[in-house]
Amino acid sequence: MSQIEIRYDDGVAYEKMMGTWSRAAGEIFLEWLAPSQGLRWIDVGCGTGAFTELIIERWAPADVQGVDPSDAQLSFARTRPLGQIVKFQWGDALSLPFSEAEFDVAVMALVIFFVPDPAKGVVEMARVVRPGGIVAAYVWDMFGGGHPLEMMHTELSAIGFPPVHPPRSEITGLEALRLLWRNASLDEIETREITVRRTFADFEEYWTTSTLAATVRQTIAAMHPSDVELLKERMRGRLSADAEGHVTCGARANAIRGVRS
């Protein structure tokens, strides 16, 4: 099989698959963060804007800047009816296009394991936040089995198609995140686990939704149809439906916050 790359060039597919998971974890994350209303936010790696929308719904910010390196994701984000309070623009997490201390809160939602240099990314978030401002993130616990597609990843490996993980998956544990925040000279560091569940109408909805994931979609496209059917049957065997045929899956993210001194 040719090399699989993690790329997000389909905003609609990402929104249907991961956007829903992101919102579920994001709601809990924002409740835990509990910032004041009327603050200035930057959403680093905003993607389709699913989490950005939550910020606006929950905390009535004065201003939100969404930054992402994917034009396709940004195009989708701009279709959201968020009004003039938010601006989505292209940007690199390692070199944010803003001056020092422009924001009250800097967040990364399911992004930090894609940043080539996570330590520099956290320092960059801290740079654009004012003293006393919040720097926070949440990310799937990759090596702790927290990814929403963990079961599918396991079954792909079992039939000889190991999945591609985000490039910096090793920093998704709580201790690794704490070290990043400490090394960025952030104070009042706190962490927590976030557990979420998602229910699908039936197995077929689970399958069609989950196979929209970028790496899974590419992997399946390169597989022989018989291997795809084998994967589907193995997944059907792992997922128990309730009396009405609904299928429920869980995921777990690790969250961290700190304050710029």
PDB file of all heavy atoms in Angstrom, residues 78-108:
ATOM      1  N   ARG A  78     -15.923  29.146   7.214  1.00  0.00           N
ATOM      2  CA  ARG A  78     -16.502  30.441   6.824  1.00  0.00           C
ATOM      3  C   ARG A  78     -17.965  30.337   6.423  1.00  0.00           C
ATOM      4  O   ARG A  78     -18.635  31.367   6.280  1.00  0.00           O
ATOM      5  CB  ARG A  78     -15.666  31.051   5.700  1.00  0.00           C
ATOM      6  CG  ARG A  78     -14.265  31.454   6.144  1.00  0.00           C
ATOM      7  CD  ARG A  78     -13.474  32.118   5.019  1.00  0.00           C
ATOM      8  NE  ARG A  78     -12.111  32.417   5.460  1.00  0.00           N
ATOM      9  CZ  ARG A  78     -11.013  31.906   4.895  1.00  0.00           C
ATOM     10  NH1 ARG A  78     -11.119  31.087   3.841  1.00  0.00           N
ATOM     11  NH2 ARG A  78      -9.812  32.212   5.356  1.00  0.00           N
ATOM     12  N   THR A  79     -18.480  29.124   6.230  1.00  0.00           N
ATOM     13  CA  THR A  79     -19.900  28.965   5.912  1.00  0.00           C
ATOM     14  C   THR A  79     -20.765  28.990   7.166  1.00  0.00           C
ATOM     15  O   THR A  79     -21.999  29.064   7.061  1.00  0.00           O
ATOM     16  CB  THR A  79     -20.163  27.636   5.175  1.00  0.00           C
ATOM     17  OG1 THR A  79     -19.921  26.523   6.063  1.00  0.00           O
ATOM     18  CG2 THR A  79     -19.285  27.508   3.937  1.00  0.00           C
ATOM     19  N   ARG A  80     -20.159  28.939   8.322  1.00  0.00           N
ATOM     20  CA  ARG A  80     -20.933  28.961   9.565  1.00  0.00           C
ATOM     21  C   ARG A  80     -21.508  30.358   9.803  1.00  0.00           C
ATOM     22  O   ARG A  80     -20.815  31.355   9.613  1.00  0.00           O
ATOM     23  CB  ARG A  80     -20.064  28.544  10.757  1.00  0.00           C
ATOM     24  CG  ARG A  80     -19.585  27.103  10.699  1.00  0.00           C
ATOM     25  CD  ARG A  80     -18.773  26.749  11.921  1.00  0.00           C
ATOM     26  NE  ARG A  80     -18.280  25.395  11.856  1.00  0.00           N
ATOM     27  CZ  ARG A  80     -18.954  24.306  12.245  1.00  0.00           C
ATOM     28  NH1 ARG A  80     -20.165  24.457  12.740  1.00  0.00           N
ATOM     29  NH2 ARG A  80     -18.415  23.099  12.146  1.00  0.00           N
ATOM     30  N   PRO A  81     -22.755  30.437  10.266  1.00  0.00           N
ATOM     31  CA  PRO A  81     -23.383  31.743  10.505  1.00  0.00           C
ATOM     32  C   PRO A  81     -22.943  32.338  11.848  1.00  0.00           C
ATOM     33  O   PRO A  81     -23.721  32.448  12.795  1.00  0.00           O
ATOM     34  CB  PRO A  81     -24.879  31.410  10.500  1.00  0.00           C
ATOM     35  CG  PRO A  81     -24.940  30.012  11.027  1.00  0.00           C
ATOM     36  CD  PRO A  81     -23.697  29.315  10.500  1.00  0.00           C
ATOM     37  N   LEU A  82     -21.681  32.747  11.917  1.00  0.00           N
ATOM     38  CA  LEU A  82     -21.123  33.231  13.178  1.00  0.00           C
ATOM     39  C   LEU A  82     -21.040  34.754  13.252  1.00  0.00           C
ATOM     40  O   LEU A  82     -20.577  35.304  14.252  1.00  0.00           O
ATOM     41  CB  LEU A  82     -19.727  32.623  13.391  1.00  0.00           C
ATOM     42  CG  LEU A  82     -19.676  31.087  13.407  1.00  0.00           C
ATOM     43  CD1 LEU A  82     -18.260  30.611  13.633  1.00  0.00           C
ATOM     44  CD2 LEU A  82     -20.611  30.520  14.459  1.00  0.00           C
ATOM     45  N   GLY A  83     -21.466  35.426  12.215  1.00  0.00           N
ATOM     46  CA  GLY A  83     -21.475  36.882  12.253  1.00  0.00           C
ATOM     47  C   GLY A  83     -20.085  37.478  12.147  1.00  0.00           C
ATOM     48  O   GLY A  83     -19.128  36.843  11.704  1.00  0.00           O
ATOM     49  N   GLN A  84     -19.987  38.733  12.563  1.00  0.00           N
ATOM     50  CA  GLN A  84     -18.748  39.489  12.421  1.00  0.00           C
ATOM     51  C   GLN A  84     -17.791  39.304  13.584  1.00  0.00           C
ATOM     52  O   GLN A  84     -16.683  39.843  13.583  1.00  0.00           O
ATOM     53  CB  GLN A  84     -19.088  40.984  12.278  1.00  0.00           C
ATOM     54  CG  GLN A  84     -19.956  41.298  11.080  1.00  0.00           C
ATOM     55  CD  GLN A  84     -19.305  40.877   9.776  1.00  0.00           C
ATOM     56  OE1 GLN A  84     -18.142  41.194   9.525  1.00  0.00           O
ATOM     57  NE2 GLN A  84     -20.048  40.156   8.943  1.00  0.00           N
ATOM     58  N   ILE A  85     -18.197  38.549  14.592  1.00  0.00           N
ATOM     59  CA  ILE A  85     -17.383  38.430  15.797  1.00  0.00           C
ATOM     60  C   ILE A  85     -16.164  37.535  15.594  1.00  0.00           C
ATOM     61  O   ILE A  85     -15.188  37.594  16.339  1.00  0.00           O
ATOM     62  CB  ILE A  85     -18.236  37.905  16.972  1.00  0.00           C
ATOM     63  CG1 ILE A  85     -17.555  38.216  18.304  1.00  0.00           C
ATOM     64  CG2 ILE A  85     -18.502  36.418  16.845  1.00  0.00           C
ATOM     65  CD1 ILE A  85     -18.417  37.940  19.493  1.00  0.00           C
ATOM     66  N   VAL A  86     -16.195  36.695  14.554  1.00  0.00           N
ATOM     67  CA  VAL A  86     -15.100  35.756  14.320  1.00  0.00           C
ATOM     68  C   VAL A  86     -14.492  35.982  12.941  1.00  0.00           C
ATOM     69  O   VAL A  86     -15.191  36.300  11.985  1.00  0.00           O
ATOM     70  CB  VAL A  86     -15.582  34.291  14.462  1.00  0.00           C
ATOM     71  CG1 VAL A  86     -16.690  33.984  13.488  1.00  0.00           C
ATOM     72  CG2 VAL A  86     -14.433  33.317  14.279  1.00  0.00           C
ATOM     73  N   LYS A  87     -13.189  35.804  12.860  1.00  0.00           N
ATOM     74  CA  LYS A  87     -12.477  35.865  11.590  1.00  0.00           C
ATOM     75  C   LYS A  87     -11.625  34.615  11.455  1.00  0.00           C
ATOM     76  O   LYS A  87     -10.864  34.273  12.360  1.00  0.00           O
ATOM     77  CB  LYS A  87     -11.576  37.105  11.520  1.00  0.00           C
ATOM     78  CG  LYS A  87     -10.804  37.208  10.202  1.00  0.00           C
ATOM     79  CD  LYS A  87      -9.929  38.443  10.165  1.00  0.00           C
ATOM     80  CE  LYS A  87      -9.147  38.518   8.857  1.00  0.00           C
ATOM     81  NZ  LYS A  87      -8.245  39.718   8.834  1.00  0.00           N
ATOM     82  N   PHE A  88     -11.769  33.918  10.328  1.00  0.00           N
ATOM     83  CA  PHE A  88     -10.971  32.730  10.044  1.00  0.00           C
ATOM     84  C   PHE A  88      -9.897  33.097   9.029  1.00  0.00           C
ATOM     85  O   PHE A  88     -10.182  33.715   8.001  1.00  0.00           O
ATOM     86  CB  PHE A  88     -11.842  31.613   9.478  1.00  0.00           C
ATOM     87  CG  PHE A  88     -12.845  31.065  10.448  1.00  0.00           C
ATOM     88  CD1 PHE A  88     -14.196  31.336  10.309  1.00  0.00           C
ATOM     89  CD2 PHE A  88     -12.434  30.274  11.509  1.00  0.00           C
ATOM     90  CE1 PHE A  88     -15.124  30.825  11.196  1.00  0.00           C
ATOM     91  CE2 PHE A  88     -13.356  29.755  12.416  1.00  0.00           C
ATOM     92  CZ  PHE A  88     -14.704  30.034  12.256  1.00  0.00           C
ATOM     93  N   GLN A  89      -8.660  32.715   9.315  1.00  0.00           N
ATOM     94  CA  GLN A  89      -7.584  33.019   8.392  1.00  0.00           C
ATOM     95  C   GLN A  89      -6.525  31.924   8.409  1.00  0.00           C
ATOM     96  O   GLN A  89      -6.402  31.160   9.372  1.00  0.00           O
ATOM     97  CB  GLN A  89      -6.929  34.354   8.742  1.00  0.00           C
ATOM     98  CG  GLN A  89      -6.251  34.405  10.102  1.00  0.00           C
ATOM     99  CD  GLN A  89      -5.621  35.759  10.363  1.00  0.00           C
ATOM    100  OE1 GLN A  89      -4.668  36.144   9.700  1.00  0.00           O
ATOM    101  NE2 GLN A  89      -6.165  36.483  11.316  1.00  0.00           N
ATOM    102  N   TRP A  90      -5.763  31.854   7.313  1.00  0.00           N
ATOM    103  CA  TRP A  90      -4.669  30.904   7.227  1.00  0.00           C
ATOM    104  C   TRP A  90      -3.579  31.297   8.221  1.00  0.00           C
ATOM    105  O   TRP A  90      -3.274  32.481   8.406  1.00  0.00           O
ATOM    106  CB  TRP A  90      -4.083  30.898   5.822  1.00  0.00           C
ATOM    107  CG  TRP A  90      -3.111  29.766   5.596  1.00  0.00           C
ATOM    108  CD1 TRP A  90      -3.394  28.562   5.058  1.00  0.00           C
ATOM    109  CD2 TRP A  90      -1.722  29.751   5.931  1.00  0.00           C
ATOM    110  NE1 TRP A  90      -2.261  27.773   5.024  1.00  0.00           N
ATOM    111  CE2 TRP A  90      -1.218  28.489   5.562  1.00  0.00           C
ATOM    112  CE3 TRP A  90      -0.863  30.679   6.510  1.00  0.00           C
ATOM    113  CZ2 TRP A  90       0.109  28.123   5.743  1.00  0.00           C
ATOM    114  CZ3 TRP A  90       0.466  30.322   6.703  1.00  0.00           C
ATOM    115  CH2 TRP A  90       0.943  29.057   6.318  1.00  0.00           C
ATOM    116  N   GLY A  91      -2.990  30.295   8.864  1.00  0.00           N
ATOM    117  CA  GLY A  91      -1.917  30.589   9.801  1.00  0.00           C
ATOM    118  C   GLY A  91      -1.217  29.337  10.270  1.00  0.00           C
ATOM    119  O   GLY A  91      -1.766  28.233  10.211  1.00  0.00           O
ATOM    120  N   ASP A  92       0.018  29.505  10.717  1.00  0.00           N
ATOM    121  CA  ASP A  92       0.880  28.433  11.190  1.00  0.00           C
ATOM    122  C   ASP A  92       0.955  28.496  12.710  1.00  0.00           C
ATOM    123  O   ASP A  92       1.249  29.551  13.279  1.00  0.00           O
ATOM    124  CB  ASP A  92       2.271  28.623  10.571  1.00  0.00           C
ATOM    125  CG  ASP A  92       3.247  27.514  10.922  1.00  0.00           C
ATOM    126  OD1 ASP A  92       2.968  26.729  11.850  1.00  0.00           O
ATOM    127  OD2 ASP A  92       4.301  27.436  10.271  1.00  0.00           O
ATOM    128  N   ALA A  93       0.688  27.371  13.370  1.00  0.00           N
ATOM    129  CA  ALA A  93       0.716  27.332  14.835  1.00  0.00           C
ATOM    130  C   ALA A  93       2.082  27.692  15.402  1.00  0.00           C
ATOM    131  O   ALA A  93       2.189  28.114  16.558  1.00  0.00           O
ATOM    132  CB  ALA A  93       0.305  25.952  15.333  1.00  0.00           C
ATOM    133  N   LEU A  94       3.136  27.535  14.601  1.00  0.00           N
ATOM    134  CA  LEU A  94       4.484  27.832  15.080  1.00  0.00           C
ATOM    135  C   LEU A  94       4.891  29.279  14.836  1.00  0.00           C
ATOM    136  O   LEU A  94       5.960  29.709  15.270  1.00  0.00           O
ATOM    137  CB  LEU A  94       5.488  26.887  14.415  1.00  0.00           C
ATOM    138  CG  LEU A  94       5.255  25.394  14.657  1.00  0.00           C
ATOM    139  CD1 LEU A  94       6.321  24.569  13.958  1.00  0.00           C
ATOM    140  CD2 LEU A  94       5.230  25.092  16.146  1.00  0.00           C
ATOM    141  N   SER A  95       4.043  30.020  14.144  1.00  0.00           N
ATOM    142  CA  SER A  95       4.328  31.430  13.871  1.00  0.00           C
ATOM    143  C   SER A  95       2.998  32.157  13.678  1.00  0.00           C
ATOM    144  O   SER A  95       2.625  32.500  12.557  1.00  0.00           O
ATOM    145  CB  SER A  95       5.209  31.569  12.625  1.00  0.00           C
ATOM    146  OG  SER A  95       5.531  32.916  12.383  1.00  0.00           O
ATOM    147  N   LEU A  96       2.295  32.369  14.760  1.00  0.00           N
ATOM    148  CA  LEU A  96       0.967  32.960  14.684  1.00  0.00           C
ATOM    149  C   LEU A  96       1.040  34.401  14.179  1.00  0.00           C
ATOM    150  O   LEU A  96       1.924  35.159  14.605  1.00  0.00           O
ATOM    151  CB  LEU A  96       0.294  32.912  16.057  1.00  0.00           C
ATOM    152  CG  LEU A  96       0.004  31.499  16.584  1.00  0.00           C
ATOM    153  CD1 LEU A  96      -0.473  31.557  18.035  1.00  0.00           C
ATOM    154  CD2 LEU A  96      -1.036  30.801  15.715  1.00  0.00           C
ATOM    155  N   PRO A  97       0.141  34.784  13.311  1.00  0.00           N
ATOM    156  CA  PRO A  97       0.195  36.117  12.689  1.00  0.00           C
ATOM    157  C   PRO A  97      -0.402  37.216  13.573  1.00  0.00           C
ATOM    158  O   PRO A  97      -1.238  38.001  13.126  1.00  0.00           O
ATOM    159  CB  PRO A  97      -0.626  35.920  11.412  1.00  0.00           C
ATOM    160  CG  PRO A  97      -1.651  34.900  11.792  1.00  0.00           C
ATOM    161  CD  PRO A  97      -0.934  33.955  12.729  1.00  0.00           C
ATOM    162  N   PHE A  98       0.050  37.261  14.836  1.00  0.00           N
ATOM    163  CA  PHE A  98      -0.463  38.246  15.776  1.00  0.00           C
ATOM    164  C   PHE A  98       0.668  38.755  16.658  1.00  0.00           C
ATOM    165  O   PHE A  98       1.685  38.073  16.859  1.00  0.00           O
ATOM    166  CB  PHE A  98      -1.562  37.632  16.656  1.00  0.00           C
ATOM    167  CG  PHE A  98      -2.741  37.136  15.882  1.00  0.00           C
ATOM    168  CD1 PHE A  98      -2.874  35.783  15.604  1.00  0.00           C
ATOM    169  CD2 PHE A  98      -3.695  38.009  15.397  1.00  0.00           C
ATOM    170  CE1 PHE A  98      -3.952  35.313  14.865  1.00  0.00           C
ATOM    171  CE2 PHE A  98      -4.772  37.558  14.659  1.00  0.00           C
ATOM    172  CZ  PHE A  98      -4.903  36.200  14.388  1.00  0.00           C
ATOM    173  N   SER A  99       0.463  39.930  17.199  1.00  0.00           N
ATOM    174  CA  SER A  99       1.445  40.528  18.097  1.00  0.00           C
ATOM    175  C   SER A  99       1.328  39.914  19.487  1.00  0.00           C
ATOM    176  O   SER A  99       0.368  39.206  19.801  1.00  0.00           O
ATOM    177  CB  SER A  99       1.233  42.042  18.182  1.00  0.00           C
ATOM    178  OG  SER A  99       1.330  42.633  16.905  1.00  0.00           O
ATOM    179  N   GLU A 100       2.293  40.223  20.318  1.00  0.00           N
ATOM    180  CA  GLU A 100       2.303  39.712  21.689  1.00  0.00           C
ATOM    181  C   GLU A 100       1.128  40.275  22.475  1.00  0.00           C
ATOM    182  O   GLU A 100       0.737  41.431  22.318  1.00  0.00           O
ATOM    183  CB  GLU A 100       3.623  40.097  22.367  1.00  0.00           C
ATOM    184  CG  GLU A 100       3.777  39.524  23.768  1.00  0.00           C
ATOM    185  CD  GLU A 100       5.161  39.760  24.344  1.00  0.00           C
ATOM    186  OE1 GLU A 100       6.054  40.159  23.585  1.00  0.00           O
ATOM    187  OE2 GLU A 100       5.324  39.536  25.556  1.00  0.00           O
ATOM    188  N   ALA A 101       0.551  39.422  23.313  1.00  0.00           N
ATOM    189  CA  ALA A 101      -0.474  39.814  24.291  1.00  0.00           C
ATOM    190  C   ALA A 101      -1.748  40.368  23.652  1.00  0.00           C
ATOM    191  O   ALA A 101      -2.414  41.229  24.230  1.00  0.00           O
ATOM    192  CB  ALA A 101       0.099  40.810  25.287  1.00  0.00           C
ATOM    193  N   GLU A 102      -2.133  39.850  22.489  1.00  0.00           N
ATOM    194  CA  GLU A 102      -3.357  40.323  21.826  1.00  0.00           C
ATOM    195  C   GLU A 102      -4.624  39.678  22.364  1.00  0.00           C
ATOM    196  O   GLU A 102      -5.723  40.207  22.175  1.00  0.00           O
ATOM    197  CB  GLU A 102      -3.273  40.082  20.319  1.00  0.00           C
ATOM    198  CG  GLU A 102      -2.425  41.064  19.561  1.00  0.00           C
ATOM    199  CD  GLU A 102      -2.736  41.059  18.068  1.00  0.00           C
ATOM    200  OE1 GLU A 102      -3.929  40.939  17.712  1.00  0.00           O
ATOM    201  OE2 GLU A 102      -1.790  41.178  17.280  1.00  0.00           O
ATOM    202  N   PHE A 103      -4.489  38.506  23.044  1.00  0.00           N
ATOM    203  CA  PHE A 103      -5.671  37.740  23.418  1.00  0.00           C
ATOM    204  C   PHE A 103      -5.715  37.468  24.916  1.00  0.00           C
ATOM    205  O   PHE A 103      -4.705  37.527  25.613  1.00  0.00           O
ATOM    206  CB  PHE A 103      -5.695  36.413  22.650  1.00  0.00           C
ATOM    207  CG  PHE A 103      -5.694  36.593  21.160  1.00  0.00           C
ATOM    208  CD1 PHE A 103      -4.502  36.519  20.432  1.00  0.00           C
ATOM    209  CD2 PHE A 103      -6.866  36.866  20.477  1.00  0.00           C
ATOM    210  CE1 PHE A 103      -4.494  36.695  19.061  1.00  0.00           C
ATOM    211  CE2 PHE A 103      -6.864  37.044  19.101  1.00  0.00           C
ATOM    212  CZ  PHE A 103      -5.680  36.960  18.392  1.00  0.00           C
ATOM    213  N   ASP A 104      -6.942  37.135  25.365  1.00  0.00           N
ATOM    214  CA  ASP A 104      -7.130  36.713  26.758  1.00  0.00           C
ATOM    215  C   ASP A 104      -7.047  35.200  26.896  1.00  0.00           C
ATOM    216  O   ASP A 104      -6.672  34.688  27.952  1.00  0.00           O
ATOM    217  CB  ASP A 104      -8.513  37.179  27.256  1.00  0.00           C
ATOM    218  CG  ASP A 104      -8.690  38.675  27.159  1.00  0.00           C
ATOM    219  OD1 ASP A 104      -7.906  39.399  27.810  1.00  0.00           O
ATOM    220  OD2 ASP A 104      -9.597  39.126  26.436  1.00  0.00           O
ATOM    221  N   VAL A 105      -7.432  34.479  25.838  1.00  0.00           N
ATOM    222  CA  VAL A 105      -7.465  33.016  25.869  1.00  0.00           C
ATOM    223  C   VAL A 105      -6.941  32.472  24.537  1.00  0.00           C
ATOM    224  O   VAL A 105      -7.375  32.918  23.467  1.00  0.00           O
ATOM    225  CB  VAL A 105      -8.900  32.481  26.086  1.00  0.00           C
ATOM    226  CG1 VAL A 105      -8.869  30.964  26.254  1.00  0.00           C
ATOM    227  CG2 VAL A 105      -9.568  33.136  27.272  1.00  0.00           C
ATOM    228  N   ALA A 106      -6.017  31.518  24.609  1.00  0.00           N
ATOM    229  CA  ALA A 106      -5.547  30.790  23.431  1.00  0.00           C
ATOM    230  C   ALA A 106      -5.850  29.308  23.631  1.00  0.00           C
ATOM    231  O   ALA A 106      -5.521  28.743  24.682  1.00  0.00           O
ATOM    232  CB  ALA A 106      -4.049  30.995  23.227  1.00  0.00           C
ATOM    233  N   VAL A 107      -6.491  28.693  22.642  1.00  0.00           N
ATOM    234  CA  VAL A 107      -6.882  27.294  22.771  1.00  0.00           C
ATOM    235  C   VAL A 107      -6.482  26.503  21.529  1.00  0.00           C
ATOM    236  O   VAL A 107      -6.395  27.042  20.429  1.00  0.00           O
ATOM    237  CB  VAL A 107      -8.405  27.141  22.996  1.00  0.00           C
ATOM    238  CG1 VAL A 107      -8.810  27.626  24.375  1.00  0.00           C
ATOM    239  CG2 VAL A 107      -9.193  27.877  21.916  1.00  0.00           C
ATOM    240  N   MET A 108      -6.249  25.187  21.742  1.00  0.00           N
ATOM    241  CA  MET A 108      -6.061  24.219  20.662  1.00  0.00           C
ATOM    242  C   MET A 108      -7.016  23.066  20.933  1.00  0.00           C
ATOM    243  O   MET A 108      -6.930  22.423  21.977  1.00  0.00           O
ATOM    244  CB  MET A 108      -4.626  23.678  20.636  1.00  0.00           C
ATOM    245  CG  MET A 108      -3.613  24.510  19.904  1.00  0.00           C
ATOM    246  SD  MET A 108      -2.068  23.568  19.758  1.00  0.00           S
ATOM    247  CE  MET A 108      -1.035  24.787  18.940  1.00  0.00           C
TER     248      MET A 108
END
